[in-house]
Amino acid sequence: MSSGRVRRTIAVSVAVVGVAALAAPGAAAGGRDTGPCPAGSPSGVTCTGGELADGTPYRFAVPNRWNGVVVVDLDFASRAADEPLTGELTDRGYAVGGTTRTVTGWNIAAAIDNQAAALERFEDAVGTPRWAVASGRSMGGFVSAGTAQVHPDVFDAAVPFCGGLGGAVGQWNQKLDTVFTLKSLLFADRSLPVTGVPADTERATRDWVAALTEAQATPRGRARIALAAAVGQLPGWGQDADGDATPRPRLGDADAIQEGMFLALAGGRQPYIGQAMSSRRSIETLAGGNPSWNTGIDYAEQYAAAEPEQRRTVREMYARAGLDLDADLRTLAEEPRITADPDAVRYLEKGIVFDGDLRIPVLTVNPVGDQISTVAQQQSYGFAVRRAGNGALLRQSYLSTVGHCTFTPGEQVAAITAMTERLRTGRWSASTTPQGLNRLTGAAQDAPGRYVHYRPAVFNRPYFGD
């Protein structure tokens, strides 16, 4: 067990007896639904589920030969029962379950507390696990990292996949920077929202994508798109219109890198600009105002701190277009700034600012080409943890893949397996290196993993609270 966690002592064999009891038709524990598993569930599992106090559904699938580990995920109850990852984990003895985001949405504080509530329901119905691991992808990764910080007395570890670990305030300030730069330099005369996103977010997204696509067809547009992407620390690698990966650009290939920047912004099935509209609208509605600001931000400094390859690409695109980069940076400096609503900032801080206060082990996993949970945010999280003196509890890993949360089931199994080894031995091992994670991936899927050594850029919009 990890320090700070107090559990009743229970043998896994006793928990397995509890699992078997769930198979009885119509059985119930405390009003929970312990009926048949949904169609498509893996064979050899029993299920328990129901609703939490706020109406959020929860569900767990427990293998008949349970290894005593339960993985709790924000989105499990909303996924198809035959999701490959569920089968891979239950085949290995893991209980897998969790909630949905349907009720909480961007109320991240409530979503975090729901993970602890769902685990309590699991314990009532099944028994006390040996170890409970918070995990999930995208917002689920964000929530699992928050769960590790808020509920270390309930969970033993966390494995956040592709979560925005710059924290809610930091990541949305950075998204503001990207959209503000585009609006100021390319679309000042167009009715394209930056904040105050209208209710019809699909239309706003279509308008933005159309404008960006039009700009991408001109040398000036390509140059300014590259600058905005560099300021926002987007990857220079993207997906095509069908959501398929494009080849990773070679160093020095400015055209391919700029195309990747554009695709990260407006391409694929989950364009950055789309999330900048839909999620910002949700957040502004919940927060009662705008929680992002760029007062005091020097975009020339942000550009200067961008990765060297992105700066080279910007310079080349500006030279080809006959534009003056310094003049555009001066234009940005002179643009009126956007201020935040203090009450909205306080709302967003609750869900959540990552301050580095870790008491349980965390293994983060992120694609280097993720356009939504940009990889530089991982640097901010690591910095906060080390600054708080908790670096020994953290390992961070990266995959050479493009797009948001583009992992194979085997790559996810590898990270969960590595964390289980950490819990079993009480120390990190070589299994959390890229080579170790790729070995575990290969054992899970008979194909090599894509874990790589990687050092993300310093996140340019860190926020650790007042």
Side-chain angles (χ1 to χ4, degrees), residues 175-187 194 208 224-229 231-232 294 299 302 318 328-329 332:
K175 291 181 194 297
L176 173 71
D177 293 339
T178 310
V179 183
F180 177 87
T181 301
L182 289 167
K183 173 79 170 180
S184 300
L185 296 181
L186 281 171
F187 310 121
V194 177
W208 262 107
R224 285 164 171 158
I225 285 171
L227 175 58
V231 163
N294 63 358
Y299 289 112
Q302 288 201 357
Y318 267 77
D328 271 4
L329 291 171
L332 286 174

Side-chain angles (χ1 to χ4, degrees), residues 236-325:
W237 187 14
Q239 296 173 307
D240 65 21
D242 294 326
D244 295 326
T246 60
R248 187 169 185 177
R250 299 186 307 274
L251 292 178
D253 189 342
D255 287 313
I257 293 169
Q258 193 282 331
E259 177 73 9
M261 291 169 156
F262 165 72
L263 290 175
L265 274 168
R269 294 173 180 164
Q270 287 183 286
Y272 178 99
I273 198 67
Q275 196 223 16
M277 295 295 104
S278 61
S279 290
R280 183 172 288 283
R281 167 69 186 186
S282 297
I283 290 168
E284 289 178 339
T285 301
L286 285 167
N290 167 40
S292 303
W293 69 91
N294 63 358
T295 48
I297 296 302
D298 185 333
Y299 289 112
E301 286 185 1
Q302 288 201 357
Y303 165 70
E307 291 185 337
E309 193 67 13
Q310 295 211 345
R311 294 201 307 274
R312 284 193 289 270
T313 297
V314 170
R315 288 195 300 270
E316 183 163 339
M317 291 295 126
Y318 267 77
R320 290 186 194 177
L323 290 173
D324 185 334
L325 175 58

Side-chain angles (χ1 to χ4, degrees), residues 39-119:
S41 295
S43 60
V45 304
T46 52
C47 297
T48 182
E51 287 188 353
L52 302 178
D54 66 355
T56 293
Y58 73 92
R59 177 167 56 88
F60 288 88
V62 189
N64 294 334
R65 297 187 62 83
W66 181 34
N67 66 6
V69 183
V70 59
V71 179
V72 185
D73 181 345
L74 169 72
D75 293 311
F76 180 81
S78 58
R79 294 199 189 109
D82 61 355
E83 184 190 43
L85 179 61
T86 301
E88 293 287 346
L89 288 172
T90 55
D91 282 351
R92 289 165 173 76
Y94 291 90
V96 187
T99 60
T100 78
R101 67 179 75 180
T102 53
V103 174
T104 54
W106 272 95
N107 185 344
I108 301 300
I112 288 169
D113 287 343
N114 276 351
Q115 305 314 292
L119 178 58

Side-chain angles (χ1 to χ4, degrees), residues 367-387:
V368 302
D370 195 319
Q371 80 281 7
I372 301 295
S373 297
T374 50
V375 71
Q377 294 186 59
Q378 305 293 314
Q379 182 277 332
S380 177
Y381 183 80
F383 172 81
V385 171
R386 291 189 296 274
R387 185 183 68 169

Side-chain angles (χ1 to χ4, degrees), residues 146-183:
T147 300
Q149 182 170 303
V150 175
H151 293 294
D153 54 331
V154 176
F155 284 84
D156 297 288
V159 183
F161 291 95
C162 52
L165 301 191
V169 175
Q171 67 173 304
W172 283 98
N173 274 339
Q174 187 185 63
K175 291 181 194 297
L176 173 71
D177 293 339
T178 310
V179 183
F180 177 87
T181 301
L182 289 167
K183 173 79 170 180

